Structure formats: C-alpha cells, structure tokens
Amino acid sequence: MNQLFQKKVVYYTDELQDDFAITRNITKPKEPTGGRFYESSSFVKKPIVWLLYRAVATPVCWIYSRVFHGVRVKNRSVILKLRGGCFLYGNHTQNVIDAFLPTIAAFPKRCDVITARDAVSLPVIKHVVPALGGVPLPETYRDVHSFMESIRRRLKKGHAIAIYPEAHIWPYYNKIRPFSEAAFTYPCRFGVPAVPFTVTYRKRKILSFLPPVVTVVIGEPVLPDASLGKKEAMKQMRDAVYEQMCRAAEESYAHIEYVKRDMDANPIYEKNVE
C-alpha cells in the first residue's frame, strides 16, 4: 500500500532545457505565415471570434479547471485595477490547463497567450488557436512586424497577454525555475506593466492520493524603469517578477519530487510525467 502512494521522483539535468511535457508528433509549418495567424480584421469573423472566446472557451476553461483541478485565484483584483493592457508571467507546470489559467486569472479582461509555433501547425487547430487568443511566435523576419503590431493592438484594446518564460513544462513542479530577462522585451518596448501569476499546489483533503489542486497567486505589477537602459530595465523587471513568484511558491505542495541528476550515480531519467 505504501508503494502505491509513494511520491514519484523525476531526475533532471538542466533547469533551462529539460522538458517533461507529454508531446505528440506535431510538425511545424513549412511555409512562413506572413502574419495571417495574428489577427482577423474581417467584419464577418470578428463576432465569431468573440463568441468562441466569450461564449465557448471562457465557460469551458472555468468549468474544466474548477471541476478537475479545483482552481482558485488569489488577488485577481490586482489585474482588474490596471487600466489598459499588461503582460502576465507564469510558471509552466501543466500540459492542458496552462492554456486556461491566464484566461481565468485575468477575467473579465480578455487574455491572449503567446505560444510556440507548433500550436498553428495542424490543419484545423491552426484556425481555432488564434481565435481563442493564441499568439504564435514568429519564425521568420517577415512575420516579426505582424507579430509586434498584433501585440501592440491587443495591448491598446486592454488585453492581458500571458507568457510562460520558463518555456518548458515540468508537471506539478512546486518551485520557480530560472528564466531569461529576454522575455521582458515586450513590457519594456510597449511601456506596460508585467504581472506575475504563480501556479501553486495544495494537497487534497479528501482522496489525497489524487493529484493536488491548484491555486493561482497574482502578484503586484512591475513597471519598466524608463531611466534605465533597455537591458538593465529588462533585468530589473525579471528580478522583481522572479522574486515575487518564488515567494508565492514557498507554500506550494510537492506532488512530484524533482531531483537534479547525479551523472556519476546514473539514475533512471523519467519523462512524460502526468
């Protein structure tokens, strides 16, 4: 019985590069998109996109996250008090609900999520993802202008835009991994605040052998310092956001134990953790 409920141990070698996401065989687009995935100005498509986001996606996010993951949000009022757009920075610890949590955290603001290019590589999904707020990163120089213009317009409309600066998924990880100041290019460029949102875990009181439930902790906004150079301002924002996230994660429950791999001991390296 004790073995049945024994905590899983996952060994890692590199906090910046190791990825424990459950992956599928997804191919990247072979041709440059020319920005066609960023926004639709079509008079016909706009109401359809609004309905998909507000009438379909948002309720599904709430119901699924609440029922299956027990999601709670602390300090949502921080985001609601902001005038205009902002960027949300979160820790990447789930395969599915990480796409939902920013929408829940920012509600009733619309929240878009910057995603990997793979998100628009499948025939049907590539049209659904942008409608639901996915903003794929550009891969070609031709796409960069469309991407940045789309970000600017979304911020002007008052959207929140979510970024997962850790890049790789570590399921149920209860600490914050290091991330680069490069992720803070956007708030520095557009002069808007960065708001940390930290996914933490709490052990279930009933059926405690099941995966823990989720609390999202919203931190205080961090504004770019216009008196600093760009690189220094980005670093200062990164440090302030990282510190808040680490503080919020201190009480997070460790459902899976992550241990740095001892290359000499050569332990089993587990992947595809659910």
Short mmCIF file of all heavy atoms in Angstrom, two decimals, residues 222-247:
data_model
loop_
_atom_site.label_atom_id
_atom_site.label_comp_id
_atom_site.label_asym_id
_atom_site.label_seq_id
_atom_site.Cartn_x
_atom_site.Cartn_y
_atom_site.Cartn_z
N VAL A 222 4.77 45.15 -12.02
CA VAL A 222 6.12 45.69 -12.10
C VAL A 222 6.22 46.52 -13.37
O VAL A 222 6.00 46.01 -14.47
CB VAL A 222 7.18 44.57 -12.13
CG1 VAL A 222 8.59 45.16 -12.25
CG2 VAL A 222 7.07 43.69 -10.90
N LEU A 223 6.54 47.79 -13.23
CA LEU A 223 6.63 48.70 -14.38
C LEU A 223 8.08 48.83 -14.86
O LEU A 223 9.01 48.81 -14.04
CB LEU A 223 6.08 50.08 -14.01
CG LEU A 223 4.56 50.18 -13.91
CD1 LEU A 223 4.18 51.46 -13.20
CD2 LEU A 223 3.93 50.13 -15.30
N PRO A 224 8.28 48.97 -16.17
CA PRO A 224 9.64 49.19 -16.66
C PRO A 224 10.16 50.55 -16.21
O PRO A 224 9.41 51.53 -16.17
CB PRO A 224 9.47 49.14 -18.19
CG PRO A 224 8.02 49.42 -18.45
CD PRO A 224 7.28 48.92 -17.26
N ASP A 225 11.43 50.59 -15.86
CA ASP A 225 12.06 51.83 -15.39
C ASP A 225 12.62 52.58 -16.61
O ASP A 225 13.62 52.17 -17.20
CB ASP A 225 13.17 51.50 -14.40
CG ASP A 225 13.72 52.74 -13.71
OD1 ASP A 225 13.57 53.86 -14.27
OD2 ASP A 225 14.31 52.61 -12.63
N ALA A 226 11.97 53.67 -16.97
CA ALA A 226 12.36 54.44 -18.16
C ALA A 226 13.73 55.10 -18.00
O ALA A 226 14.34 55.50 -18.99
CB ALA A 226 11.31 55.50 -18.46
N SER A 227 14.22 55.21 -16.77
CA SER A 227 15.52 55.86 -16.55
C SER A 227 16.69 54.91 -16.83
O SER A 227 17.83 55.35 -16.89
CB SER A 227 15.62 56.37 -15.11
OG SER A 227 15.66 55.29 -14.19
N LEU A 228 16.40 53.62 -17.01
CA LEU A 228 17.45 52.64 -17.26
C LEU A 228 17.55 52.32 -18.74
O LEU A 228 16.61 52.54 -19.51
CB LEU A 228 17.15 51.34 -16.49
CG LEU A 228 17.09 51.43 -14.97
CD1 LEU A 228 16.68 50.08 -14.39
CD2 LEU A 228 18.42 51.88 -14.39
N GLY A 229 18.67 51.79 -19.13
CA GLY A 229 18.81 51.27 -20.49
C GLY A 229 17.92 50.05 -20.65
O GLY A 229 17.47 49.45 -19.66
N LYS A 230 17.67 49.66 -21.89
CA LYS A 230 16.73 48.57 -22.15
C LYS A 230 17.13 47.28 -21.45
O LYS A 230 16.32 46.62 -20.79
CB LYS A 230 16.62 48.33 -23.66
CG LYS A 230 15.62 47.25 -24.03
CD LYS A 230 15.53 47.05 -25.52
CE LYS A 230 14.57 45.92 -25.86
NZ LYS A 230 14.48 45.68 -27.33
N LYS A 231 18.40 46.89 -21.56
CA LYS A 231 18.85 45.64 -20.98
C LYS A 231 18.74 45.67 -19.46
O LYS A 231 18.30 44.69 -18.84
CB LYS A 231 20.29 45.34 -21.40
CG LYS A 231 20.75 43.96 -20.99
CD LYS A 231 22.10 43.62 -21.61
CE LYS A 231 22.52 42.19 -21.25
NZ LYS A 231 23.82 41.83 -21.87
N GLU A 232 19.12 46.80 -18.85
CA GLU A 232 19.04 46.92 -17.40
C GLU A 232 17.59 46.91 -16.92
O GLU A 232 17.25 46.31 -15.89
CB GLU A 232 19.73 48.20 -16.92
CG GLU A 232 21.25 48.20 -17.06
CD GLU A 232 21.70 48.40 -18.50
OE1 GLU A 232 20.88 48.81 -19.35
OE2 GLU A 232 22.89 48.15 -18.79
N ALA A 233 16.71 47.58 -17.68
CA ALA A 233 15.29 47.61 -17.32
C ALA A 233 14.68 46.21 -17.41
O ALA A 233 13.88 45.80 -16.55
CB ALA A 233 14.52 48.56 -18.24
N MET A 234 15.06 45.46 -18.45
CA MET A 234 14.56 44.09 -18.60
C MET A 234 15.02 43.21 -17.44
O MET A 234 14.24 42.43 -16.88
CB MET A 234 15.03 43.50 -19.93
CG MET A 234 14.35 44.10 -21.14
SD MET A 234 15.26 43.79 -22.69
CE MET A 234 15.41 42.02 -22.68
N LYS A 235 16.27 43.35 -17.05
CA LYS A 235 16.81 42.55 -15.95
C LYS A 235 16.12 42.91 -14.64
O LYS A 235 15.80 42.03 -13.83
CB LYS A 235 18.32 42.75 -15.84
CG LYS A 235 18.97 41.87 -14.79
CD LYS A 235 20.48 42.08 -14.76
CE LYS A 235 21.14 41.11 -13.78
NZ LYS A 235 20.61 41.17 -12.40
N GLN A 236 15.91 44.20 -14.43
CA GLN A 236 15.25 44.62 -13.20
C GLN A 236 13.82 44.06 -13.12
O GLN A 236 13.39 43.60 -12.05
CB GLN A 236 15.22 46.15 -13.13
CG GLN A 236 14.64 46.68 -11.81
CD GLN A 236 14.54 48.19 -11.80
OE1 GLN A 236 13.86 48.77 -12.63
NE2 GLN A 236 15.24 48.82 -10.87
N MET A 237 13.11 44.08 -14.24
CA MET A 237 11.75 43.53 -14.26
C MET A 237 11.78 42.02 -13.99
O MET A 237 10.98 41.50 -13.22
CB MET A 237 11.07 43.82 -15.59
CG MET A 237 10.78 45.28 -15.85
SD MET A 237 9.73 45.53 -17.30
CE MET A 237 8.12 45.20 -16.60
N ARG A 238 12.72 41.34 -14.66
CA ARG A 238 12.84 39.89 -14.46
C ARG A 238 13.09 39.56 -12.99
O ARG A 238 12.44 38.68 -12.41
CB ARG A 238 13.98 39.35 -15.32
CG ARG A 238 14.10 37.82 -15.39
CD ARG A 238 14.89 37.21 -14.22
NE ARG A 238 16.16 37.86 -13.99
CZ ARG A 238 17.28 37.56 -14.64
NH1 ARG A 238 17.30 36.64 -15.57
NH2 ARG A 238 18.40 38.20 -14.33
N ASP A 239 14.02 40.28 -12.37
CA ASP A 239 14.36 40.00 -10.98
C ASP A 239 13.16 40.24 -10.05
O ASP A 239 12.91 39.44 -9.14
CB ASP A 239 15.54 40.88 -10.54
CG ASP A 239 16.84 40.50 -11.24
OD1 ASP A 239 16.89 39.43 -11.86
OD2 ASP A 239 17.80 41.31 -11.17
N ALA A 240 12.43 41.32 -10.30
CA ALA A 240 11.28 41.64 -9.44
C ALA A 240 10.16 40.61 -9.60
O ALA A 240 9.54 40.18 -8.61
CB ALA A 240 10.75 43.04 -9.77
N VAL A 241 9.89 40.20 -10.83
CA VAL A 241 8.85 39.20 -11.09
C VAL A 241 9.27 37.85 -10.52
O VAL A 241 8.48 37.16 -9.85
CB VAL A 241 8.57 39.09 -12.60
CG1 VAL A 241 7.76 37.83 -12.92
CG2 VAL A 241 7.83 40.32 -13.09
N TYR A 242 10.52 37.47 -10.74
CA TYR A 242 11.02 36.18 -10.26
C TYR A 242 10.95 36.09 -8.74
O TYR A 242 10.55 35.07 -8.16
CB TYR A 242 12.46 35.98 -10.74
CG TYR A 242 13.05 34.64 -10.39
CD1 TYR A 242 12.72 33.51 -11.13
CD2 TYR A 242 13.96 34.51 -9.33
CE1 TYR A 242 13.28 32.27 -10.81
CE2 TYR A 242 14.50 33.28 -9.02
CZ TYR A 242 14.17 32.16 -9.76
OH TYR A 242 14.71 30.94 -9.43
N GLU A 243 11.33 37.17 -8.07
CA GLU A 243 11.30 37.19 -6.61
C GLU A 243 9.88 37.00 -6.08
O GLU A 243 9.66 36.23 -5.14
CB GLU A 243 11.88 38.52 -6.10
CG GLU A 243 11.91 38.62 -4.58
CD GLU A 243 12.42 39.97 -4.09
OE1 GLU A 243 12.85 40.78 -4.92
OE2 GLU A 243 12.35 40.20 -2.87
N GLN A 244 8.91 37.67 -6.70
CA GLN A 244 7.52 37.51 -6.26
C GLN A 244 7.02 36.09 -6.48
O GLN A 244 6.33 35.52 -5.64
CB GLN A 244 6.62 38.49 -7.01
CG GLN A 244 6.78 39.95 -6.61
CD GLN A 244 5.65 40.80 -7.16
OE1 GLN A 244 4.47 40.55 -6.91
NE2 GLN A 244 6.00 41.81 -7.94
N MET A 245 7.38 35.50 -7.63
CA MET A 245 6.95 34.15 -7.92
C MET A 245 7.56 33.14 -6.95
O MET A 245 6.88 32.22 -6.49
CB MET A 245 7.30 33.79 -9.37
CG MET A 245 6.51 34.59 -10.40
SD MET A 245 7.04 34.28 -12.10
CE MET A 245 6.44 32.61 -12.34
N CYS A 246 8.84 33.31 -6.63
CA CYS A 246 9.49 32.41 -5.68
C CYS A 246 8.83 32.51 -4.30
O CYS A 246 8.63 31.49 -3.62
CB CYS A 246 10.98 32.74 -5.57
SG CYS A 246 11.95 32.26 -7.02
N ARG A 247 8.49 33.72 -3.91
CA ARG A 247 7.84 33.92 -2.61
C ARG A 247 6.47 33.25 -2.58
O ARG A 247 6.09 32.61 -1.60
CB ARG A 247 7.74 35.41 -2.34
CG ARG A 247 7.50 35.76 -0.87
CD ARG A 247 7.87 37.20 -0.56
NE ARG A 247 7.18 38.14 -1.41
CZ ARG A 247 7.79 38.98 -2.23
NH1 ARG A 247 9.11 38.99 -2.33
NH2 ARG A 247 7.10 39.84 -2.96
#
